[in-house]
Amino acid sequence: METACNGRMGIDLASEGDFQVIVLDLGLPDIHGLEVMSRLKNLGGARQVIVITADDTPESLLQQIRENT
């Protein structure tokens, strides 16, 4: 198991490792989690992404996720 303290570090870890599951918080200090999700998708591979957030508007969040995946 690896952890990253921000989006850029998470992208770097994902590009170097063979992770099957990634837990992604959308509220990151450097990059919005949806941007990280988009970059993870561009890396390829068959990883699953579990998204967590403190956002209180789930409808708009789900729309954003659909547009970025």
Side-chain angles (χ1 to χ4, degrees), residues 4-69:
C5 59
N6 60 50
R8 285 183 178 84
M9 186 178 185
I11 293 165
D12 289 344
L13 283 172
S15 66
E16 297 169 1
D18 183 26
F19 298 95
Q20 295 177 353
V21 177
I22 295 173
V23 178
L24 173 63
D25 187 349
L26 295 183
L28 299 170
D30 60 342
I31 308 172
H32 193 279
L34 291 176
E35 174 66 22
V36 174
M37 185 184 302
S38 177
R39 292 184 189 187
L40 291 173
K41 180 181 175 186
N42 290 336
L43 291 176
R47 50 179 81 82
Q48 299 294 313
V49 178
I50 299 169
V51 176
I52 59 172
T53 184
D55 189 333
D56 61 352
T57 55
E59 294 82 14
S60 64
L61 176 63
L62 287 174
Q63 181 63 33
Q64 292 176 28
I65 291 172
R66 286 186 189 109
E67 291 172 2
N68 287 282
T69 57

